[in-house]
Amino acid sequence: MTRRMPAVRRAAPWIAVVGCFAASMPVRAAEPTPAEVFEKRIVPIFKSPNPSSCTQCHLAGVDLKDYILPDAERTFRSLRDQGLIDLAVPEKSKIVTLIDMGGGAKGPNAVNAKLRAVEREAFLAWIKACAADPTLKATPKLDEAERAKPARPVEVIRHARKDRVLESFEANVWAWRFRCMNCHTEGTPQNDKYRKEYGDRVAWVKKDGPAATLEYLIASKLIDPVKPEQSLLLRKPLGEKHEGGLKFVVGDDAYKGFRTWIEDVAAIRGNKYTAAKDLPPADTGPERFGTDLWLKFTNCPPAWGDKFLQVCVFAWDDKKKAWGDTPVAVSDRVVSGKGKLWQHNLTLLAAKDSDRAKAWRGGKPSLPEGKYLLRVYLDAGGKLAKDWKAALGDDEFVGRAEFTAKWRDGYGAMTAVDAAKVRK
Ligand code: HEC
Ligand code: HEC
């Protein structure tokens, strides 16, 4: 719908009046019309094959393009009627605020900051041009159904935010990284050695921590977006042509964590979630913290040989004079039948947002010296191999044992328990 000929409105009447003075007076360059600004600055954003600056934080669900329609006037009405533009103070427009979320043109991500500056200037120039156009401002409301907005509901947009994905990464992947240390940790002597031999690809646990590791992983080939369960990040630790050997068995806690996270990321990146009901259930379990605290069973009975064994560690509560209700740590691994030995590091658990969780998040997770109880489960029937989501329970319970521990860090300072002490 064309309502007017903007070029005529601007120049013609004025020139007619001042006629002969025109040559001696500075002629102001004609202000471009909203439609011209839109064509020149907004359409390229709309048509660009590249993602907008929003993708720095939104892995899916929302993009600046979602707010643009092919037509200038309808885009204006769409944004105006959703309260996304402020015609009195264009800088305060909600659409500009969304672009500024990354910290404006000075945000920490340099590449993205440039992109953001271009988007911001484009929208500001266009909104200002619109604000100066009374006819455009007077256009009728645009039908709700025609307004441009993200196709995904707000729950999906929230779920696909990078800070949320990072939170889940920390709980599901980062917590188990000690199984991969230090072979894969950038900047360690062991990783330096492997890097010389296998190249930079072995340094996928980044020295800058979980956020940097997440950035690397989601852009890498280690996650298969189409067949997430086939991701190298799962297949390698399952022992497939892996120099590091067998680090997971299907269904163990680390496998569960990695797979849960990988499947979620694949679904987010593949834009598979369309409604709130498609989202995975919220993680209501405890927070998990990887450690270099080690526990071992000596003298494992033959019945345990080469079977998957899981332990839950409970602490003695001196005030209540009882064992804690929930485990403070877990660990799981296959028993070495030949060596009659089981040993592994502990992952500590703390209720979400509890004082202990906060302390462990800020500092180094540790357990105090004292009295502890182990509850031991053996997957003799291969339950987890049949269903990776299954949990070991009463059917797999083989007994309990009390022990004292100093919990010193490191493989060389393991807490040892005689397996003969494990009784029902
Ligand atoms: C630096 C990170 C970052 C960037 C860049 C970013 N966002 Fe956001 N966005 C967030 C965060 C964090 C929230 C939640 C904040 C809140 O609830 O106040 C959010 C919330 C939103 C919401 C509201 C959803 C809800 O929870 O109600 C929308 C819509 C949105 N962003 C769109 C965009 C668009 C469009 C862009 C790009 C023009 C963008 N964002 C760029 C971090 C970002
Ligand atoms: C003892 C050292 C060691 C441990 C522990 C180890 N790895 Fe590895 N891993 C390697 C080496 C060396 C390579 C490179 C050669 C190869 O591909 O097998 C590798 C390769 C990989 C690769 C392929 C990287 C790429 O980009 O090609 C992945 C993924 C991987 N490991 C995951 C894991 C995970 C997950 C863990 C922990 C649960 C783990 N590894 C534990 C030594 C180790």
Side-chain angles (χ1 to χ4, degrees), residues 52-58 62-64 67 95 98-99 101-103 112 116 119 150 154 157-158 161 163:
S52 72
S53 66
C54 318
T55 52
Q56 181 190 331
C57 305
H58 296 278
V62 64
D63 191 278
L64 194 50
Y67 297 92
I95 191 80
L98 288 177
I99 296 169
M101 270 181 164
N112 214 43
R116 213 156 36 227
E119 294 168 354
V154 73
I157 297 180
R158 284 177 191 160
R161 247 167 48 204
D163 57 332

PDB file of all heavy atoms in Angstrom, residues 52-58 62-64 67 95 98-99 101-103 112 116 119 150 154 157-158 161 163, ligand 1:
ATOM      1  N   SER A  52      21.751 -12.922  13.629  1.00  0.00           N
ATOM      2  CA  SER A  52      21.853 -11.595  14.217  1.00  0.00           C
ATOM      3  C   SER A  52      22.661 -11.661  15.506  1.00  0.00           C
ATOM      4  O   SER A  52      23.056 -12.738  15.954  1.00  0.00           O
ATOM      5  CB  SER A  52      20.461 -11.081  14.533  1.00  0.00           C
ATOM      6  OG  SER A  52      19.971 -11.800  15.637  1.00  0.00           O
ATOM      7  N   SER A  53      22.864 -10.499  16.120  1.00  0.00           N
ATOM      8  CA  SER A  53      23.652 -10.444  17.357  1.00  0.00           C
ATOM      9  C   SER A  53      22.964 -11.186  18.505  1.00  0.00           C
ATOM     10  O   SER A  53      23.602 -11.542  19.484  1.00  0.00           O
ATOM     11  CB  SER A  53      23.902  -8.987  17.746  1.00  0.00           C
ATOM     12  OG  SER A  53      22.675  -8.362  18.097  1.00  0.00           O
ATOM     13  N   CYS A  54      21.678 -11.421  18.380  1.00  0.00           N
ATOM     14  CA  CYS A  54      20.928 -12.104  19.445  1.00  0.00           C
ATOM     15  C   CYS A  54      21.512 -13.490  19.739  1.00  0.00           C
ATOM     16  O   CYS A  54      21.431 -13.990  20.855  1.00  0.00           O
ATOM     17  CB  CYS A  54      19.462 -12.259  19.083  1.00  0.00           C
ATOM     18  SG  CYS A  54      18.724 -10.812  18.312  1.00  0.00           S
ATOM     19  N   THR A  55      22.082 -14.125  18.707  1.00  0.00           N
ATOM     20  CA  THR A  55      22.549 -15.516  18.865  1.00  0.00           C
ATOM     21  C   THR A  55      23.745 -15.624  19.799  1.00  0.00           C
ATOM     22  O   THR A  55      24.136 -16.722  20.161  1.00  0.00           O
ATOM     23  CB  THR A  55      22.911 -16.135  17.506  1.00  0.00           C
ATOM     24  OG1 THR A  55      23.815 -15.246  16.842  1.00  0.00           O
ATOM     25  CG2 THR A  55      21.676 -16.336  16.656  1.00  0.00           C
ATOM     26  N   GLN A  56      24.315 -14.487  20.175  1.00  0.00           N
ATOM     27  CA  GLN A  56      25.371 -14.546  21.195  1.00  0.00           C
ATOM     28  C   GLN A  56      24.802 -15.165  22.487  1.00  0.00           C
ATOM     29  O   GLN A  56      25.506 -15.865  23.207  1.00  0.00           O
ATOM     30  CB  GLN A  56      25.892 -13.134  21.479  1.00  0.00           C
ATOM     31  CG  GLN A  56      27.013 -13.079  22.505  1.00  0.00           C
ATOM     32  CD  GLN A  56      27.330 -11.653  22.920  1.00  0.00           C
ATOM     33  OE1 GLN A  56      27.163 -10.704  22.152  1.00  0.00           O
ATOM     34  NE2 GLN A  56      27.784 -11.493  24.148  1.00  0.00           N
ATOM     35  N   CYS A  57      23.550 -14.912  22.762  1.00  0.00           N
ATOM     36  CA  CYS A  57      22.940 -15.402  24.006  1.00  0.00           C
ATOM     37  C   CYS A  57      21.740 -16.305  23.777  1.00  0.00           C
ATOM     38  O   CYS A  57      21.361 -17.057  24.668  1.00  0.00           O
ATOM     39  CB  CYS A  57      22.496 -14.245  24.876  1.00  0.00           C
ATOM     40  SG  CYS A  57      23.823 -13.091  25.232  1.00  0.00           S
ATOM     41  N   HIS A  58      21.113 -16.188  22.627  1.00  0.00           N
ATOM     42  CA  HIS A  58      19.940 -17.027  22.353  1.00  0.00           C
ATOM     43  C   HIS A  58      20.326 -18.060  21.304  1.00  0.00           C
ATOM     44  O   HIS A  58      20.515 -17.712  20.146  1.00  0.00           O
ATOM     45  CB  HIS A  58      18.777 -16.167  21.852  1.00  0.00           C
ATOM     46  CG  HIS A  58      18.276 -15.179  22.862  1.00  0.00           C
ATOM     47  ND1 HIS A  58      17.392 -15.521  23.865  1.00  0.00           N
ATOM     48  CD2 HIS A  58      18.546 -13.857  23.049  1.00  0.00           C
ATOM     49  CE1 HIS A  58      17.125 -14.448  24.603  1.00  0.00           C
ATOM     50  NE2 HIS A  58      17.819 -13.427  24.133  1.00  0.00           N
ATOM     51  N   VAL A  62      14.682 -17.114  19.155  1.00  0.00           N
ATOM     52  CA  VAL A  62      14.442 -15.705  18.864  1.00  0.00           C
ATOM     53  C   VAL A  62      15.605 -15.133  18.056  1.00  0.00           C
ATOM     54  O   VAL A  62      16.762 -15.491  18.255  1.00  0.00           O
ATOM     55  CB  VAL A  62      14.210 -14.882  20.162  1.00  0.00           C
ATOM     56  CG1 VAL A  62      15.435 -14.859  21.043  1.00  0.00           C
ATOM     57  CG2 VAL A  62      13.762 -13.463  19.839  1.00  0.00           C
ATOM     58  N   ASP A  63      15.246 -14.262  17.111  1.00  0.00           N
ATOM     59  CA  ASP A  63      16.239 -13.600  16.282  1.00  0.00           C
ATOM     60  C   ASP A  63      15.668 -12.234  15.913  1.00  0.00           C
ATOM     61  O   ASP A  63      14.447 -12.072  15.840  1.00  0.00           O
ATOM     62  CB  ASP A  63      16.498 -14.431  15.019  1.00  0.00           C
ATOM     63  CG  ASP A  63      17.714 -13.922  14.254  1.00  0.00           C
ATOM     64  OD1 ASP A  63      17.585 -12.945  13.481  1.00  0.00           O
ATOM     65  OD2 ASP A  63      18.784 -14.506  14.436  1.00  0.00           O
ATOM     66  N   LEU A  64      16.546 -11.295  15.667  1.00  0.00           N
ATOM     67  CA  LEU A  64      16.099  -9.953  15.292  1.00  0.00           C
ATOM     68  C   LEU A  64      15.184 -10.006  14.055  1.00  0.00           C
ATOM     69  O   LEU A  64      14.225  -9.246  13.933  1.00  0.00           O
ATOM     70  CB  LEU A  64      17.329  -9.069  15.028  1.00  0.00           C
ATOM     71  CG  LEU A  64      17.123  -7.564  14.935  1.00  0.00           C
ATOM     72  CD1 LEU A  64      16.316  -7.033  16.104  1.00  0.00           C
ATOM     73  CD2 LEU A  64      18.457  -6.849  14.843  1.00  0.00           C
ATOM     74  N   TYR A  67      11.310  -9.977  14.079  1.00  0.00           N
ATOM     75  CA  TYR A  67      10.518  -8.768  14.313  1.00  0.00           C
ATOM     76  C   TYR A  67      10.349  -7.921  13.047  1.00  0.00           C
ATOM     77  O   TYR A  67       9.815  -6.833  13.101  1.00  0.00           O
ATOM     78  CB  TYR A  67      11.177  -7.926  15.412  1.00  0.00           C
ATOM     79  CG  TYR A  67      11.232  -8.629  16.747  1.00  0.00           C
ATOM     80  CD1 TYR A  67      12.333  -9.390  17.119  1.00  0.00           C
ATOM     81  CD2 TYR A  67      10.140  -8.562  17.626  1.00  0.00           C
ATOM     82  CE1 TYR A  67      12.379 -10.058  18.335  1.00  0.00           C
ATOM     83  CE2 TYR A  67      10.179  -9.220  18.842  1.00  0.00           C
ATOM     84  CZ  TYR A  67      11.297  -9.965  19.188  1.00  0.00           C
ATOM     85  OH  TYR A  67      11.322 -10.612  20.387  1.00  0.00           O
ATOM     86  N   ILE A  95      12.895  -2.549  21.207  1.00  0.00           N
ATOM     87  CA  ILE A  95      13.665  -3.309  20.215  1.00  0.00           C
ATOM     88  C   ILE A  95      15.142  -2.916  20.282  1.00  0.00           C
ATOM     89  O   ILE A  95      16.038  -3.753  20.129  1.00  0.00           O
ATOM     90  CB  ILE A  95      13.075  -3.135  18.777  1.00  0.00           C
ATOM     91  CG1 ILE A  95      13.719  -4.129  17.799  1.00  0.00           C
ATOM     92  CG2 ILE A  95      13.225  -1.718  18.234  1.00  0.00           C
ATOM     93  CD1 ILE A  95      13.159  -5.511  17.879  1.00  0.00           C
ATOM     94  N   LEU A  98      16.600  -4.618  23.345  1.00  0.00           N
ATOM     95  CA  LEU A  98      16.920  -6.022  23.076  1.00  0.00           C
ATOM     96  C   LEU A  98      18.274  -6.125  22.362  1.00  0.00           C
ATOM     97  O   LEU A  98      19.090  -6.984  22.678  1.00  0.00           O
ATOM     98  CB  LEU A  98      15.826  -6.675  22.225  1.00  0.00           C
ATOM     99  CG  LEU A  98      14.485  -6.949  22.914  1.00  0.00           C
ATOM    100  CD1 LEU A  98      13.479  -7.526  21.927  1.00  0.00           C
ATOM    101  CD2 LEU A  98      14.640  -7.878  24.105  1.00  0.00           C
ATOM    102  N   ILE A  99      18.495  -5.226  21.409  1.00  0.00           N
ATOM    103  CA  ILE A  99      19.780  -5.235  20.692  1.00  0.00           C
ATOM    104  C   ILE A  99      20.914  -4.913  21.664  1.00  0.00           C
ATOM    105  O   ILE A  99      22.005  -5.466  21.569  1.00  0.00           O
ATOM    106  CB  ILE A  99      19.761  -4.236  19.510  1.00  0.00           C
ATOM    107  CG1 ILE A  99      18.718  -4.675  18.475  1.00  0.00           C
ATOM    108  CG2 ILE A  99      21.144  -4.123  18.867  1.00  0.00           C
ATOM    109  CD1 ILE A  99      18.421  -3.638  17.397  1.00  0.00           C
ATOM    110  N   MET A 101      21.196  -5.746  24.685  1.00  0.00           N
ATOM    111  CA  MET A 101      21.380  -6.726  25.762  1.00  0.00           C
ATOM    112  C   MET A 101      22.818  -7.217  25.890  1.00  0.00           C
ATOM    113  O   MET A 101      23.277  -7.542  26.970  1.00  0.00           O
ATOM    114  CB  MET A 101      20.475  -7.920  25.529  1.00  0.00           C
ATOM    115  CG  MET A 101      19.143  -7.744  26.176  1.00  0.00           C
ATOM    116  SD  MET A 101      18.166  -9.211  25.868  1.00  0.00           S
ATOM    117  CE  MET A 101      16.914  -8.980  27.094  1.00  0.00           C
ATOM    118  N   GLY A 102      23.496  -7.303  24.788  1.00  0.00           N
ATOM    119  CA  GLY A 102      24.877  -7.780  24.829  1.00  0.00           C
ATOM    120  C   GLY A 102      25.860  -6.732  25.334  1.00  0.00           C
ATOM    121  O   GLY A 102      27.056  -6.921  25.264  1.00  0.00           O
ATOM    122  N   GLY A 103      25.358  -5.604  25.825  1.00  0.00           N
ATOM    123  CA  GLY A 103      26.242  -4.579  26.368  1.00  0.00           C
ATOM    124  C   GLY A 103      26.469  -3.455  25.370  1.00  0.00           C
ATOM    125  O   GLY A 103      27.492  -2.784  25.412  1.00  0.00           O
ATOM    126  N   ASN A 112      30.676  -9.546  17.815  1.00  0.00           N
ATOM    127  CA  ASN A 112      29.264  -9.311  17.988  1.00  0.00           C
ATOM    128  C   ASN A 112      28.969  -7.837  18.250  1.00  0.00           C
ATOM    129  O   ASN A 112      27.930  -7.332  17.859  1.00  0.00           O
ATOM    130  CB  ASN A 112      28.756 -10.176  19.139  1.00  0.00           C
ATOM    131  CG  ASN A 112      27.355 -10.646  18.891  1.00  0.00           C
ATOM    132  OD1 ASN A 112      27.033 -11.054  17.798  1.00  0.00           O
ATOM    133  ND2 ASN A 112      26.524 -10.531  19.888  1.00  0.00           N
ATOM    134  N   ARG A 116      26.179  -5.662  16.471  1.00  0.00           N
ATOM    135  CA  ARG A 116      25.176  -5.009  17.293  1.00  0.00           C
ATOM    136  C   ARG A 116      25.080  -3.515  16.980  1.00  0.00           C
ATOM    137  O   ARG A 116      24.005  -2.941  16.905  1.00  0.00           O
ATOM    138  CB  ARG A 116      25.554  -5.209  18.761  1.00  0.00           C
ATOM    139  CG  ARG A 116      24.392  -5.322  19.658  1.00  0.00           C
ATOM    140  CD  ARG A 116      24.717  -6.069  20.929  1.00  0.00           C
ATOM    141  NE  ARG A 116      26.046  -5.824  21.427  1.00  0.00           N
ATOM    142  CZ  ARG A 116      26.871  -6.779  21.813  1.00  0.00           C
ATOM    143  NH1 ARG A 116      26.494  -8.025  21.773  1.00  0.00           N
ATOM    144  NH2 ARG A 116      28.073  -6.494  22.255  1.00  0.00           N
ATOM    145  N   GLU A 119      23.182  -3.031  13.764  1.00  0.00           N
ATOM    146  CA  GLU A 119      21.743  -3.257  13.970  1.00  0.00           C
ATOM    147  C   GLU A 119      21.109  -2.083  14.727  1.00  0.00           C
ATOM    148  O   GLU A 119      20.033  -1.599  14.382  1.00  0.00           O
ATOM    149  CB  GLU A 119      21.510  -4.543  14.774  1.00  0.00           C
ATOM    150  CG  GLU A 119      21.926  -5.811  14.055  1.00  0.00           C
ATOM    151  CD  GLU A 119      21.970  -7.036  14.971  1.00  0.00           C
ATOM    152  OE1 GLU A 119      21.781  -6.893  16.204  1.00  0.00           O
ATOM    153  OE2 GLU A 119      22.207  -8.136  14.458  1.00  0.00           O
ATOM    154  N   PRO A 150       8.652 -13.692  17.497  1.00  0.00           N
ATOM    155  CA  PRO A 150       9.232 -15.030  17.454  1.00  0.00           C
ATOM    156  C   PRO A 150       8.128 -16.089  17.402  1.00  0.00           C
ATOM    157  O   PRO A 150       7.091 -15.945  18.059  1.00  0.00           O
ATOM    158  CB  PRO A 150      10.018 -15.128  18.762  1.00  0.00           C
ATOM    159  CG  PRO A 150      10.234 -13.718  19.205  1.00  0.00           C
ATOM    160  CD  PRO A 150       9.091 -12.928  18.672  1.00  0.00           C
ATOM    161  N   VAL A 154       7.533 -18.147  24.937  1.00  0.00           N
ATOM    162  CA  VAL A 154       8.560 -17.586  25.810  1.00  0.00           C
ATOM    163  C   VAL A 154       9.314 -18.676  26.601  1.00  0.00           C
ATOM    164  O   VAL A 154      10.511 -18.559  26.846  1.00  0.00           O
ATOM    165  CB  VAL A 154       7.926 -16.501  26.716  1.00  0.00           C
ATOM    166  CG1 VAL A 154       7.065 -17.112  27.777  1.00  0.00           C
ATOM    167  CG2 VAL A 154       8.961 -15.599  27.283  1.00  0.00           C
ATOM    168  N   ILE A 157      12.008 -19.874  24.377  1.00  0.00           N
ATOM    169  CA  ILE A 157      13.051 -18.841  24.257  1.00  0.00           C
ATOM    170  C   ILE A 157      13.941 -18.874  25.505  1.00  0.00           C
ATOM    171  O   ILE A 157      15.161 -18.842  25.419  1.00  0.00           O
ATOM    172  CB  ILE A 157      12.429 -17.437  24.080  1.00  0.00           C
ATOM    173  CG1 ILE A 157      11.627 -17.381  22.774  1.00  0.00           C
ATOM    174  CG2 ILE A 157      13.501 -16.360  24.110  1.00  0.00           C
ATOM    175  CD1 ILE A 157      10.969 -16.041  22.492  1.00  0.00           C
ATOM    176  N   ARG A 158      13.309 -18.995  26.656  1.00  0.00           N
ATOM    177  CA  ARG A 158      14.085 -19.022  27.908  1.00  0.00           C
ATOM    178  C   ARG A 158      14.979 -20.253  27.984  1.00  0.00           C
ATOM    179  O   ARG A 158      16.137 -20.167  28.378  1.00  0.00           O
ATOM    180  CB  ARG A 158      13.148 -19.009  29.112  1.00  0.00           C
ATOM    181  CG  ARG A 158      12.591 -17.640  29.321  1.00  0.00           C
ATOM    182  CD  ARG A 158      11.593 -17.560  30.458  1.00  0.00           C
ATOM    183  NE  ARG A 158      10.945 -16.262  30.378  1.00  0.00           N
ATOM    184  CZ  ARG A 158       9.785 -15.968  30.937  1.00  0.00           C
ATOM    185  NH1 ARG A 158       9.138 -16.867  31.652  1.00  0.00           N
ATOM    186  NH2 ARG A 158       9.275 -14.769  30.794  1.00  0.00           N
ATOM    187  N   ARG A 161      18.253 -20.091  26.037  1.00  0.00           N
ATOM    188  CA  ARG A 161      19.214 -19.042  26.348  1.00  0.00           C
ATOM    189  C   ARG A 161      20.538 -19.663  26.748  1.00  0.00           C
ATOM    190  O   ARG A 161      20.576 -20.643  27.476  1.00  0.00           O
ATOM    191  CB  ARG A 161      18.670 -18.193  27.488  1.00  0.00           C
ATOM    192  CG  ARG A 161      18.331 -16.782  27.046  1.00  0.00           C
ATOM    193  CD  ARG A 161      17.516 -16.085  28.074  1.00  0.00           C
ATOM    194  NE  ARG A 161      18.085 -16.224  29.409  1.00  0.00           N
ATOM    195  CZ  ARG A 161      17.345 -16.111  30.513  1.00  0.00           C
ATOM    196  NH1 ARG A 161      16.072 -15.866  30.443  1.00  0.00           N
ATOM    197  NH2 ARG A 161      17.910 -16.252  31.695  1.00  0.00           N
ATOM    198  N   ASP A 163      22.785 -18.795  28.852  1.00  0.00           N
ATOM    199  CA  ASP A 163      23.077 -18.894  30.289  1.00  0.00           C
ATOM    200  C   ASP A 163      22.375 -20.105  30.908  1.00  0.00           C
ATOM    201  O   ASP A 163      22.905 -20.756  31.799  1.00  0.00           O
ATOM    202  CB  ASP A 163      22.745 -17.588  31.036  1.00  0.00           C
ATOM    203  CG  ASP A 163      21.299 -17.148  30.866  1.00  0.00           C
ATOM    204  OD1 ASP A 163      20.691 -17.471  29.819  1.00  0.00           O
ATOM    205  OD2 ASP A 163      20.771 -16.472  31.767  1.00  0.00           O
TER     206      ASP A 163
HETATM  207  C1  HEC B   1      24.135 -10.736  26.240  1.00  0.00           C
HETATM  208  C2  HEC B   1      23.091 -11.678  26.127  1.00  0.00           C
HETATM  209  C3  HEC B   1      21.849 -11.372  25.319  1.00  0.00           C
HETATM  210  C4  HEC B   1      21.750 -10.858  24.048  1.00  0.00           C
HETATM  211  C5  HEC B   1      22.864 -10.454  23.106  1.00  0.00           C
HETATM  212  C6  HEC B   1      20.347 -10.822  23.749  1.00  0.00           C
HETATM  213  N1  HEC B   1      19.625 -11.308  24.802  1.00  0.00           N
HETATM  214 FE1  HEC B   1      17.612 -11.470  24.890  1.00  0.00          FE
HETATM  215  N2  HEC B   1      17.749 -12.077  26.824  1.00  0.00           N
HETATM  216  C7  HEC B   1      18.913 -12.280  27.508  1.00  0.00           C
HETATM  217  C8  HEC B   1      18.610 -12.599  28.895  1.00  0.00           C
HETATM  218  C9  HEC B   1      19.624 -12.898  30.000  1.00  0.00           C
HETATM  219  C10 HEC B   1      17.202 -12.560  28.990  1.00  0.00           C
HETATM  220  C11 HEC B   1      16.378 -12.743  30.246  1.00  0.00           C
HETATM  221  C12 HEC B   1      16.460 -11.442  30.926  1.00  0.00           C
HETATM  222  C13 HEC B   1      15.278 -11.120  31.713  1.00  0.00           C
HETATM  223  O1  HEC B   1      14.421 -11.972  31.907  1.00  0.00           O
HETATM  224  O2  HEC B   1      15.254  -9.956  32.105  1.00  0.00           O
HETATM  225  C14 HEC B   1      16.709 -12.245  27.679  1.00  0.00           C
HETATM  226  C15 HEC B   1      15.351 -12.121  27.370  1.00  0.00           C
HETATM  227  C16 HEC B   1      14.870 -11.884  26.090  1.00  0.00           C
HETATM  228  C17 HEC B   1      13.491 -11.898  25.745  1.00  0.00           C
HETATM  229  C18 HEC B   1      12.326 -12.082  26.708  1.00  0.00           C
HETATM  230  C19 HEC B   1      11.961 -13.489  26.865  1.00  0.00           C
HETATM  231  C20 HEC B   1      11.396 -13.700  28.254  1.00  0.00           C
HETATM  232  O3  HEC B   1      12.026 -14.428  29.012  1.00  0.00           O
HETATM  233  O4  HEC B   1      10.355 -13.086  28.569  1.00  0.00           O
HETATM  234  C21 HEC B   1      13.395 -11.642  24.404  1.00  0.00           C
HETATM  235  C22 HEC B   1      12.152 -11.584  23.565  1.00  0.00           C
HETATM  236  C23 HEC B   1      14.745 -11.457  23.943  1.00  0.00           C
HETATM  237  N3  HEC B   1      15.619 -11.618  24.989  1.00  0.00           N
HETATM  238  C24 HEC B   1      15.064 -11.152  22.645  1.00  0.00           C
HETATM  239  C25 HEC B   1      16.340 -10.805  22.235  1.00  0.00           C
HETATM  240  C26 HEC B   1      16.640 -10.309  20.913  1.00  0.00           C
HETATM  241  C27 HEC B   1      15.652 -10.093  19.808  1.00  0.00           C
HETATM  242  C28 HEC B   1      17.980 -10.084  20.883  1.00  0.00           C
HETATM  243  C29 HEC B   1      18.826  -9.537  19.762  1.00  0.00           C
HETATM  244  C30 HEC B   1      18.391  -8.299  19.188  1.00  0.00           C
HETATM  245  C31 HEC B   1      18.502 -10.425  22.202  1.00  0.00           C
HETATM  246  N4  HEC B   1      17.469 -10.861  22.986  1.00  0.00           N
HETATM  247  C32 HEC B   1      19.828 -10.349  22.557  1.00  0.00           C
HETATM  248  C33 HEC B   1      20.182 -12.186  27.014  1.00  0.00           C
HETATM  249  C34 HEC B   1      20.507 -11.656  25.781  1.00  0.00           C
END
